[in-house]
Amino acid sequence: MTTAASGAHDEPCVELVHGSGGRATHRLVEELFLAAFGNPTLHARNDGAVLPPIPGRLVVSTDMHVVSPLFFPGGDIGSLAVNGTINDVAMTGARPLYLTAGFVLEAGLPLADLARIASSMATAAGAAGVTIVAGDTKVVEPGKADRLFISTTGVGVLADGVELGADRARPGDRLLLSGSLGEHATAILAGRMQLDLEARVVSDCAALHELVAALLAAAPHLRCLRDPTRGGLGATLNELAHQSRVGMVLDETAIPVTEEVRAICELLGFDPLYLANEGKLVAVCPPEEADAALASLRAHPLGRRAAAIGEVVPDPHGFVELRTAFGGRRVLDWLAGDQLPRIC
């Protein structure tokens, strides 16, 4: 059997027999997944991956990916599953090393689509220097899933001396944002609604671990890092303020949002401060290291539009406030409801 992407596959779609554990399962794993992810650990075909000893503290993070549509401007569920979990590991300050991947396949999913997604995962993992070392597949009946769900677990190593945490923000700290907001969510929206946008918006989906490494080199006493995915910047800062028992004040005019995203938000009634991102980070930085941290972000291709967007203030109630462009203030509260479901 050749991969479906080649157009020479005998079975154009996933079938229930692919989850039987028999010959069809063997062919799917051998000729699609191993062909895409192949490495000595996977090819050993053991029930578990045997990995070499790793010096330092281990970091593990796991995530589910149920994005709709599967393919969107700037990425697909495969690159999202890889980069999203890499970023969860990286936000602890760790260097990601390994991934596992689990697939829930709905019968009827075109094998060509699955091959394309597996190839995208392999490309994203290879670009990040991360190895996919274990995986699993399950097949469910038509109508029992939405074509494909992916679960990924990441393993990384945290160097001695790196101590980041959501409870470590202190009054006087500076808030840094690595780039413009809302590009992933608006790209998903455009793909989902098949919007004919004059200005094309592309997802910012990217692995951030190298950006994090540069940031930690410039600001070794960094307090905490978060990637503002579901709930966007608003939810992320409320979580950090709540866990650190501090307040935060943002400067609305300093928060970067592209004209394209702003226009879509105005058209559809969304607030870019609550839209999901998959290639941005928020850093809480001690004031004496803030200038160096911001310079390091701007020196990296993924941080060219980085900005200092506010500061941490004393407030045991954990309010996040926005200093508006008109000189007033408003509370940037927790997100009520869900602006846009299934974006990751």
Side-chain angles (χ1 to χ4, degrees):
M1 188 177 83
T2 58
T3 66
S6 70
H9 203 290
D10 296 329
E11 302 153 333
C13 294
V14 172
E15 299 178 3
L16 288 175
V17 70
H18 285 119
S20 67
R23 187 184 302 277
T25 303
H26 177 78
R27 293 181 65 193
L28 183 73
V29 171
E30 285 280 343
E31 300 178 24
L32 194 149
F33 289 111
L34 289 184
F37 306 149
N39 57 66
T41 304
L42 273 182
H43 280 293
R45 301 293 302 273
N46 292 319
D47 283 348
V50 180
L51 304 175
I54 305 171
R57 293 168 290 170
L58 295 182
V59 173
V60 177
S61 182
T62 193
D63 205 353
M64 290 289 297
H65 303 275
V66 297
V67 66
S68 176
L70 298 180
F71 302 95
F72 49 82
D76 56 51
I77 190 173
S79 58
L80 182 67
V82 169
N83 290 332
T85 298
I86 285 174
N87 290 345
D88 286 343
V89 171
M91 291 306 112
T92 69
R95 179 167 58 94
L97 298 173
Y98 302 109
L99 286 176
T100 70
F103 299 83
V104 177
L105 311 173
E106 186 182 63
L109 172 71
L111 280 167
D113 285 354
L114 184 58
R116 179 180 167 192
I117 289 165
S119 176
S120 177
M121 293 180 71
T123 298
V130 172
T131 306
I132 297 173
V133 294
D136 190 26
T137 62
K138 293 291 186 293
V139 180
V140 298
E141 297 90 343
K144 299 296 185 182
D146 190 0
R147 295 181 291 164
L148 172 63
F149 299 147
I150 301 177
S151 172
T152 44
T153 296
V155 177
V157 62
L158 185 62
D160 290 339
V162 177
E163 299 292 345
L164 304 179
D167 61 345
R168 298 174 70 89
R170 298 291 181 268
D173 288 346
R174 303 294 190 264
L175 302 172
L176 308 180
L177 176 64
S178 67
S180 52
L181 294 177
E183 287 151 5
H184 176 69
T186 49
I188 293 292
L189 184 65
R192 188 177 299 173
M193 299 179 68
Q194 298 184 328
L195 295 177
D196 185 16
L197 299 174
E198 184 175 339
R200 188 166 183 260
V201 180
V202 175
S203 170
D204 61 346
C205 182
L208 296 172
H209 57 302
E210 292 183 354
L211 183 66
V212 170
L215 182 59
L216 285 170
H221 299 97
L222 205 65
R223 310 287 195 203
C224 49
L225 290 173
R226 280 289 174 89
D227 52 340
T229 53
R230 281 183 300 174
L233 180 69
T236 296
L237 293 184
N238 272 283
E239 290 172 3
L240 296 177
H242 177 75
Q243 290 184 249
S244 291
R245 299 184 66 80
V246 295
M248 295 179 178
V249 178
L250 308 180
D251 183 353
E252 184 177 33
T253 61
I255 300 173
V257 180
T258 67
E259 289 302 318
E260 292 82 3
V261 169
R262 196 179 300 281
I264 292 172
C265 287
E266 290 176 356
L267 177 68
L268 300 175
F270 291 125
D271 186 339
L273 299 182
Y274 292 103
L275 288 180
N277 314 272
E278 290 293 344
K280 302 297 184 325
L281 62 81
V282 177
V284 181
C285 185
E288 62 274 15
E289 295 182 353
D291 288 344
L294 185 59
S296 73
L297 289 174
R298 288 175 172 170
H300 192 281
L302 295 177
R304 283 192 295 264
R305 294 199 65 189
I309 61 170
E311 62 182 332
V312 180
V313 298
D315 182 358
H317 302 293
F319 284 114
V320 178
E321 293 185 279
L322 191 68
R323 190 184 297 118
T324 70
F326 301 104
R329 281 196 181 193
R330 70 176 174 90
V331 173
L332 189 66
D333 206 352
W334 295 88
L335 180 65
D338 195 347
Q339 284 200 124
L340 191 63
R342 293 191 58 190
I343 43 74
C344 62

